[in-house]
Amino acid sequence: MLRTADEELTIDELAARAGVTVRTVRFYASRGLLPPPRLRGRVGLYGADHLARLDLIRELQNLGFTLTAIEGHLERIPEDAPPEELALQRALLAPWTSDQAEEIDREELDRRAGRALSDEEIEQLLTLGILERITEETADNAERLRLTSASMLNVGLQITELRLPREMLLQAKHIVEQHTSQMASELRELFAANVLRPYVERGRPESERERVRSAADQLRPLTIQVLVNGFQRAVNDVIRDHV
């Protein structure tokens, strides 16, 4: 998406490169999310820094940020930040999973499951958080569901086949969410304290930018592997201690 820093684009070209409409570009500019274009006579020209900001805005939207939250985040980034700095910001915010929540009806859900799911199975998927019920009314009053993770649907279906008590599933979900949220928060703070803050305190030196971006990219799969291995070893220890 990024081009050379001295490239000049009209607003139509910028919108086409970013995959948005001209109206969207103008709206973002009116909210201060994009710096003003460089003027050549009466024509506004945009560059790689504008493209990078639009990429960053899209990443924040994918993470579920509201427009107000996006404004607050971008306010902390200097208006003259180069495209490479914006690319680093985007890398630090990149989701750890490519899954996107999607609306789905019962017919499509059954198709993906390979069979017709019962109401009880639907309720268990709701309990596990793999499905969410959309409460807004529709003209035909059809049930609308949100699939929070396509990759977890098969796992959820296998769990429903075990016919475990609903209360047990709720407690298990709570335990996992509680501890994974705490780990995520503590690991993020550890990375921020030892990598991000020193980088910022040193004035965001260009020579360190790629190192920080690369560290963020490589830590994702490594952290997941360490967590999975650590959990497996912990389970083995628990079994051994109770035998």
Side-chain angles (χ1 to χ4, degrees):
M1 185 68 70
L2 295 179
R3 299 296 187 268
T4 57
D6 58 352
E7 185 173 21
E8 296 180 331
L9 305 170
T10 66
I11 191 170
D12 296 277
E13 292 170 334
L14 175 69
R17 292 274 182 86
V20 298
T21 65
V22 170
R23 181 178 180 181
T24 297
V25 173
R26 288 188 172 129
F27 173 70
Y28 289 160
S30 71
R31 296 293 296 259
L33 301 180
L34 290 176
R38 293 173 280 278
L39 295 178
R40 179 186 292 167
R42 300 179 65 180
V43 178
L45 297 173
Y46 301 83
D49 52 335
H50 296 93
L51 278 168
R53 281 185 182 266
L54 288 172
D55 281 345
L56 180 55
I57 291 169
R58 181 168 57 246
E59 202 70 78
L60 291 166
Q61 289 173 328
N62 290 339
L63 286 168
F65 279 52
T66 65
L67 187 60
T68 300
I70 292 174
E71 290 174 344
H73 182 80
L74 291 181
E75 283 176 358
R76 298 193 294 271
I77 302 175
E79 192 172 280
D80 60 352
E84 294 80 10
E85 178 66 27
L86 294 165
L88 170 60
Q89 291 285 334
R90 185 184 175 198
L92 295 173
L93 292 166
W96 283 42
T97 173
S98 59
D99 272 359
Q100 295 289 328
E102 56 181 308
E103 291 189 20
I104 191 170
D105 58 24
R106 287 290 291 268
E107 182 179 353
E108 174 62 17
L109 185 61
D110 289 344
R111 187 190 70 77
R112 297 194 191 185
R115 58 186 173 82
L117 299 178
S118 67
D119 290 343
E120 180 182 358
E121 289 173 313
I122 295 295
E123 289 301 320
Q124 284 205 308
L125 291 173
L126 289 165
T127 298
L128 292 168
I130 295 170
L131 288 179
E132 295 175 352
R133 200 169 261 122
I134 300 175
T135 58
E136 295 89 346
E137 293 184 4
T138 60
D140 57 3
N141 292 321
E143 183 178 33
R144 297 164 63 214
L145 301 166
R146 181 179 291 108
L147 180 62
T148 61
S149 172
S151 63
M152 283 296 293
L153 178 58
N154 187 52
V155 174
L157 292 172
Q158 292 181 61
I159 292 175
T160 64
E161 292 173 359
L162 300 177
R163 300 188 179 279
L164 299 171
R166 181 175 183 273
E167 187 59 34
M168 175 187 171
L169 294 178
L170 283 172
Q171 291 182 25
K173 180 172 178 285
H174 173 72
I175 290 171
V176 170
E177 289 179 344
Q178 179 183 22
H179 291 287
T180 53
S181 294
Q182 181 177 348
M183 283 192 297
S185 179
E186 292 181 3
L187 288 172
R188 181 193 178 283
E189 178 57 30
L190 189 64
F191 181 77
N194 289 274
V195 180
L196 291 183
R197 285 179 197 152
Y199 167 71
V200 173
E201 289 169 358
R202 286 192 289 269
R204 296 184 171 92
E206 184 177 347
S207 59
E208 295 185 25
R209 195 177 292 144
E210 179 58 26
R211 179 185 66 81
V212 175
R213 187 202 63 77
S214 179
D217 285 345
Q218 294 180 53
L219 273 175
R220 292 188 186 93
L222 292 175
T223 300
I224 291 172
Q225 289 178 22
V226 169
L227 289 175
V228 170
N229 182 261
F231 178 74
Q232 291 171 334
R233 292 178 62 183
V235 171
N236 289 343
D237 291 343
V238 169
I239 292 172
R240 184 178 61 250
D241 291 345
H242 285 76
V243 170

